[in-house]
């Protein structure tokens, strides 16, 4: 009988796949918008070095999402994306209250999902698990 905790569970695998798809989509949206538009938005929010921040944000979401889908470097990808969501909450959503569409509930859910993956790892069907990490 398989263990049902941590990296030996199917729960993190399901969570990782769904959260990964969400972030690939968000990263792709930013790629499609273009770095100058994303940087303009970052500048509006008073994020330091808006162009560099836009590149990092886009890469973290797109490449981090791919990493989550594959379960490759899951804990690190999840931590980077969790940081992304913490900044989004503080810079954009917190002032709008809790509820969607502009509040922080969705970003908070993604933040905690990523923190959960950072703690548990990628689950059974992951590159990390196959490599014995």
């Amino acid at each position: 009988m398989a263990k049902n905790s941590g990296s030996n569970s199917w729960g993190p695998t399901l969570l990782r796949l769904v959260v990964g798809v969400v972030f690939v989509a968000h990263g792709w949206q930013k790629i499609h918008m273009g770095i100058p538009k994303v940087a303009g938005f970052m500048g509006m929010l008073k994020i330091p070095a808006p162009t560099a921040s836009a590149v990092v944000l886009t890469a973290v979401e797109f490449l981090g999402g791919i990493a989550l889908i594959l379960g490759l470097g899951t804990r690190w990808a999840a931590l980077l994306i969790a940081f992304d969501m913490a900044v989004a909450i503080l810079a954009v959503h917190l002032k709008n209250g809790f509820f969607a569409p502009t509040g922080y509930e969705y970003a908070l859910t993604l933040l905690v999902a990523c923190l959960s993956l950072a703690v548990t790892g990628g689950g059974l069907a992951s590159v990390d698990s196959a490599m014995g990490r």
Side-chain angles (χ1 to χ4, degrees), residues 47-74:
I47 301 290
T51 301
S53 296
V55 170
V56 170
L57 171 65
T58 302
V60 164
E61 290 186 359
F62 187 70
L63 298 175
I66 290 171
L68 289 183
I69 290 168
L70 296 173
L72 177 63
T74 301

Side-chain angles (χ1 to χ4, degrees), residues 9-56:
S9 172
W10 284 100
T13 300
L14 296 173
L15 184 61
R16 171 177 62 71
L17 290 171
V18 171
V19 172
V21 167
V22 167
F23 280 100
V24 166
H26 279 266
W28 181 252
Q29 180 184 41
K30 287 171 180 65
I31 290 168
H32 181 69
M33 286 171 53
I35 295 300
K37 277 191 176 178
V38 177
F41 179 68
M42 304 289 268
M44 247 178 33
L45 296 172
K46 309 270 192 263
I47 301 290
T51 301
S53 296
V55 170
V56 170

Side-chain angles (χ1 to χ4, degrees), residues 27 66 100 106 109:
I66 290 171
Y106 182 62
T109 301

Side-chain angles (χ1 to χ4, degrees), residues 49-105:
T51 301
S53 296
V55 170
V56 170
L57 171 65
T58 302
V60 164
E61 290 186 359
F62 187 70
L63 298 175
I66 290 171
L68 289 183
I69 290 168
L70 296 173
L72 177 63
T74 301
R75 293 176 196 266
W76 286 107
L79 281 173
L80 289 170
I81 295 171
F83 180 77
D84 171 20
M85 288 295 91
V87 171
I89 289 168
L90 294 172
V92 179
H93 301 289
L94 193 61
K95 67 180 178 266
N96 297 320
F98 181 74
F99 295 103
T102 58
Y104 62 90
E105 70 175 315

